[in-house]
Amino acid sequence: MSSTHDTELAEFGYRQELNRTLSTTDLIIYGLVFMVPIAPWAIFGVVYNESKGMVPLVYLIGLVAMIFTAMSYAQMSRAFPIAGSVYSYVGRGLNPKLGFLAGWTILLDYLLVPTLLYVFAAESMAGIFPDIPKALWIVLFLVVNTGVNYIGISFTAIVNRLFLAAELLFVVIFVVMAVVAIARGTSGARFTTAPLFDSGDFTPGLVATALSIAVLSFLGFDGIATLSEEAKGGRKAAGLAMVVGLVLVAFFFVSQTWLAAMLVPDTQQFGDDEVNNAFFGIVEQVSSHGWQVAFLAMNALAVGIANAVAAQSATSRLLFSMSRDGRLPGFLAHVNSRTKVPERAILLVGGLTLVTGLFFVGQVGLISSLVNFGALTSFLLLHVSVVSWYGVRKHSRNVFLHWVSPVLGFAVIGYVLWNAEAAAKIGGLVWLAIGCLVLAWYTTHDRGILPEHAADGPAARDQSVEAPRGGRA
């Protein structure tokens, strides 16, 4: 198997440097941990207010929005089973310069996601230990996570499994609590389908606004693609893991938020003093203060350690891939000979996250908006690359996967992006402008080692793609 993978990478001009030990199950677990099955806990109140209580409907629409993107990722990961995710897919399937911009925009997502997670975790820990500065929690989580990533991808996989098991245990506990409370009518709890759809309050604009917030919970499935060179399941492994992980996490999101909404069926809006911890207030309402503290602690650990470990891992692989192609400083492509991880990229991500985390303490809304802009902009280019590579260049006869799906995905993502907050658009466009300047510098100084004909590199060995020789020598 290893020789097969070595041959695949050699076709693209690379050699196997990272440790290829992850099974498809490991990839699915990684994706689930990255997306966090309990992600709605932290933003339940905000999405509830924005959607007039229809939180599970928002997540169902979010699944539809993201499933097209997941399918586009799956198709491109089969064609190009290399690290770099959307940077590699757009660069080779569409155009190298656009690939750099796709990588640069999603880098905004990947660099700020760990920051956002540490801020979320610090907020939860402050709810338990109000006298301890939030900055201290950020530093503590960061040191632990950087160490986990530095030890190696196999150890990271073990940590992922342990935390996923703990999160699912708490999901089961909440489901039991909620079902019992609804059956007993505790504090007015009752069964209702209104959270799934309420015709009196439903408007497309209302859901689109809430979706721009909730979509943040789905971001992370794409991180699976960054581990393609560490997976041992073949070309289809990453794509399968992305789709399966997305559907599974959507099930957790919808079921938990539907139950939570049924526990407060007469609530129109959460007040400013309770909106940020609305879910945990509901837990206390149907159980006890002790359980509220336990759920807060689980949320902090899941976000601050498990989720952040996955995020830093994905970010370091993206930096590794872009620097390997000469699109970022070459020292980031260094791989530790013993642990087989891109150690310098890992340490750089840790350092940057420390600075941004301390700077953005308490500014959850702004970070969330910037993260969404970076991810969604790169997703637009991903959908175009699917049409370009499969539909136009390879004359694929699979109309749904290579034409209809990416076009629908582009439309949905574009609509959400259009309705994003003005501050996110301004900040995102500034970041994109900086990326254009960086690209211009590399182009004029001939620093890129990925040639313009890289998009003509080898294609996937499937029924719709031929296999011409090419790639970076």
Side-chain angles (χ1 to χ4, degrees), residues 356-445:
T356 55
L358 297 178
F359 179 78
F360 282 111
V361 170
Q363 302 183 58
V364 172
L366 177 59
I367 310 174
S368 301
S369 299
L370 291 173
V371 165
N372 277 348
F373 183 93
L376 297 178
T377 302
S378 66
F379 291 168
L380 291 178
L381 290 171
L382 171 72
H383 289 303
V384 175
S385 71
V386 173
V387 174
S388 171
W389 179 256
Y390 285 102
V392 177
R393 303 180 64 176
K394 298 303 172 185
H395 308 291
S396 171
R397 296 180 181 179
N398 194 327
V399 176
F400 177 75
L401 283 179
H402 302 146
W403 284 98
V404 177
S405 177
V407 169
L408 288 176
F410 185 95
V412 173
I413 295 299
Y415 180 74
V416 174
L417 191 59
W418 182 261
N419 286 278
E421 295 181 4
K425 294 177 183 177
I426 294 173
L429 290 174
V430 169
W431 176 259
L432 185 59
I434 296 173
C436 290
L437 294 176
V438 173
L439 177 61
W441 188 89
Y442 272 99
T443 301
T444 56
H445 290 74

Side-chain angles (χ1 to χ4, degrees), residues 142-333:
L142 179 63
V143 171
V144 171
N145 295 341
T146 302
V148 170
N149 271 306
Y150 195 88
I151 291 173
I153 196 66
S154 296
F155 183 64
T156 302
I158 294 173
V159 173
N160 287 341
R161 286 175 180 267
L162 292 175
F163 271 97
L164 180 61
E167 290 176 45
L168 295 183
L169 175 61
F170 269 78
V171 170
V172 172
I173 292 172
F174 173 71
V175 169
V176 172
M177 285 180 177
V179 171
V180 171
I182 293 169
R184 294 177 176 176
T186 303
S187 300
R190 65 177 183 272
F191 178 82
T192 174
T193 59
L196 289 174
F197 184 76
D198 186 344
S199 59
D201 287 324
F202 177 83
T203 64
L206 180 148
V207 175
T209 301
L211 181 58
S212 66
I213 301 172
V215 75
L216 182 68
S217 300
F218 287 104
L219 298 182
F221 74 89
D222 54 297
I224 294 173
T226 65
L227 303 182
S228 292
E229 291 180 32
E230 292 159 277
K232 57 184 180 181
R235 287 177 178 264
K236 296 181 180 180
L240 175 63
M242 280 185 273
V243 175
V244 172
L246 188 63
V247 173
L248 284 175
V249 84
F251 170 77
F252 291 124
F253 290 173
V254 172
S255 58
Q256 289 178 93
T257 55
W258 187 11
L259 287 169
M262 287 192 287
L263 296 176
V264 287
D266 299 319
T267 300
Q268 299 299 316
Q269 291 273 111
F270 287 105
D272 292 341
D273 60 334
E274 58 182 349
V275 65
N276 290 328
N277 285 311
F279 181 88
F280 305 105
I282 293 172
V283 170
E284 182 180 31
Q285 174 183 307
V286 300
S287 57
S288 66
H289 179 69
W291 275 115
Q292 181 193 37
V293 172
F295 272 74
L296 277 167
M298 183 69 254
N299 182 71
L301 293 175
V303 172
I305 295 182
N307 194 189
V309 163
Q312 286 186 241
S313 176
T315 307
S316 63
R317 270 60 178 183
L318 177 60
L319 293 176
F320 163 77
S321 183
M322 294 182 73
S323 63
R324 181 176 61 179
D325 286 339
R327 301 300 188 181
L328 289 177
F331 79 93
L332 293 173

Side-chain angles (χ1 to χ4, degrees), residues 5 9 12 14-22 27 80-84 88 224-232 238 317 320-321 324:
H5 291 307
L9 284 181
F12 294 100
Y14 306 127
R15 58 189 176 88
Q16 185 67 49
E17 295 181 274
L18 304 178
N19 200 13
R20 200 177 279 277
T21 60
L22 300 179
L27 293 178
F80 307 105
I82 54 180
S88 297
I224 294 173
T226 65
L227 303 182
S228 292
E229 291 180 32
E230 292 159 277
K232 57 184 180 181
R317 270 60 178 183
F320 163 77
S321 183
R324 181 176 61 179

